[in-house]
Amino acid sequence: MQAKFDLEEARIEGCTLGEVLGALSHALDLTEGQEPGHCVRCCFIGTRIGERMGLSVDAAADLYYTLLLKDLGCSSNAARICQLYFTDDRIFKNGFKTVDGSVRQALAFVLRHTAKGQPLAQRARAVVDVLRNSEELVTEIFETRCETGADIARQMRFSDAVADGIAGLDEHWNGGGRPYRLVGDAIPLFSRIALLAQVLEVFSRGVGPDAALREIERRSGTWFDPEIVRAAVSCVRDPGFWDELAAPDLEQRLFAMQPALDKLTLNDARLDEIIQAFARVIDAKSPFTHGHSQRVALYTGLLSQELNFGENTQRWMWRTALMHDIGKLGVSNQILDKNGKLTEDEFATIKRHPLMSESILSRVPAFQPMAWIAAMHHERLDGKGYPYGLTASSLIQEMRVLTVADIFDALSADRPYRSALPLPEVRVIMGKMVGTAIDGDIVEALWRVVDSADFPGPSAASADPSSAAVL
């Protein structure tokens, strides 16, 4: 299983912005507990609605990216949901998308999901706490998600219209939504379309197209703008609409749409901005991964320089380090933030995250080398790593560099079960891993970097994300 590629020759020519964001949207589906392709299907539905409403070319492009990136902030409230509801954040989020906002449904949802599997007394206390503070808690959770998503969209250099569309995703036409209680036309148009598209996608997949259509008609004037409901009903009654939505080539057709091609181009600098912004989505999943991707990217970049990698290889290594843990968006915070030893089943779930990283990144042909390297950051020279159990002969130098950078940050940063270790202790631990888990030559290069006068140190790297800029 030897990788056959040369990062120095890697290029993004032929790679489109829609294709990249469509692939990354699959990671957003993971952290929302949705079926793969949820954001893509919502984008198709919402774009069709926009066409029926006669949006301009520029507005159609902004709507397209609002729909594809509607869940950009979704990872930022995952830890809080676990903390408040004592439950799996992904299951909680999946179920919450079917709640219609009525008191009866909301109460049933809280009773069903809060502290599930815990002793009865603990469940009772948790439910009482949630119900007592439900208004504040729900607003806080939505505000975190909406504001973070909008901020990341702006970091990606999308328009204010896209950012505002993401920020208003959970507002309802009658003012009953969150977090700002906006009413009617005060809700951004793209938010109104995106929420309807989301509900239509979730219900059509869960209970069928006819029931989904009845659901959006039932919520017309409460959740949804009646004009947008009429446009949506007209769309879904077109012959072939549902067949198109279910077609295996939906993504290819979606990425070839004019909104994906007309407004924004993709070059190396823009790709770097998107990847660095998306690293925020990854690191926001857990308070214990805050800054992890940025720091690993910094250490990987410095090691790549120290080892005299070519300039283009350095850039791709930096990108890979930022994206290496994207698969962790598919792991519940009940596992990621656990303060104690993982069970066998929990560890088995953790061990799948490199495979999920590989699956997401490999959706973009230009990202194939990046996907392959990212998948190997938990492999060991002696074959006792995961997910593939490869041995030294299959682990090229780029893979070994990423592994060393990842381990260095794991030891020198805070974790749920311990505080950051001092550098002398990190040296001892990593020294014992040389030859069995990690490459001694790369570890020596790491210590040269760490001992250099301009090494920022783990704390400084966390405090200043710009230190992980392209080297």
Side-chain angles (χ1 to χ4, degrees), residues 13 24 27 88 117 133 147 151 156 173 179 191 194 212 272 292 301 315 362 460:
E13 282 77 8
L24 297 182
D88 185 314
N133 302 291
E147 292 189 353
D151 187 47
M156 289 179 172
W173 183 251
S191 303
D272 291 337
H292 172 69
R315 189 171 209 157
S362 64

Side-chain angles (χ1 to χ4, degrees), residues 20-40 65-76 89-90 93-94 97 145 149 152 156 166 198 277-282 285 326-330 360:
V20 170
L21 295 177
L24 297 182
S25 78
H26 281 262
L28 305 180
D29 299 339
L30 284 177
T31 199
E32 282 290 277
Q34 293 298 310
E35 291 292 323
H38 164 73
C39 286
V40 166
Y65 289 108
T66 300
L67 291 159
L68 208 53
L69 300 174
K70 69 183 181 67
D71 291 326
L72 263 183
C74 60
S75 65
S76 61
D89 54 293
R90 297 178 67 249
K93 289 181 174 188
N94 179 283
K97 277 187 166 54
R145 164 201 164 102
I152 294 173
M156 289 179 172
I166 292 169
Q198 175 175 282
F278 210 88
R280 286 182 57 193
V281 179
I282 300 167
K285 184 78 162 84
I326 194 171
K328 278 191 175 176
L329 292 173
I360 293 164

Side-chain angles (χ1 to χ4, degrees), residues 256-327:
M257 283 183 174
Q258 284 305 113
L261 303 174
D262 276 345
K263 192 174 182 184
L264 299 167
T265 58
L266 185 68
N267 54 33
D268 279 302
R270 182 135 177 82
L271 178 59
D272 291 337
E273 290 174 337
I274 288 170
I275 286 178
Q276 189 161 15
F278 210 88
R280 286 182 57 193
V281 179
I282 300 167
D283 288 356
K285 184 78 162 84
S286 166
F288 297 100
T289 59
H290 176 72
H292 172 69
S293 298
Q294 296 282 2
R295 291 190 302 271
V296 174
L298 172 65
Y299 306 147
T300 297
L302 292 172
L303 275 169
S304 297
Q305 284 184 333
E306 180 66 23
L307 294 165
N308 295 316
F309 286 178
E311 184 177 338
N312 199 48
T313 298
Q314 290 183 40
R315 189 171 209 157
W316 279 100
M317 287 296 294
W318 175 81
R319 291 168 174 167
T320 303
L322 285 171
M323 293 287 99
H324 77 284
D325 266 346
I326 194 171

Side-chain angles (χ1 to χ4, degrees), residues 55 339 364 465:
L55 296 185
N339 184 12
V364 181

Side-chain angles (χ1 to χ4, degrees), residues 231-248:
V233 170
S234 175
C235 281
V236 302
R237 286 180 174 162
D238 278 350
F241 175 88
W242 295 110
D243 289 339
E244 277 192 273
L245 184 63

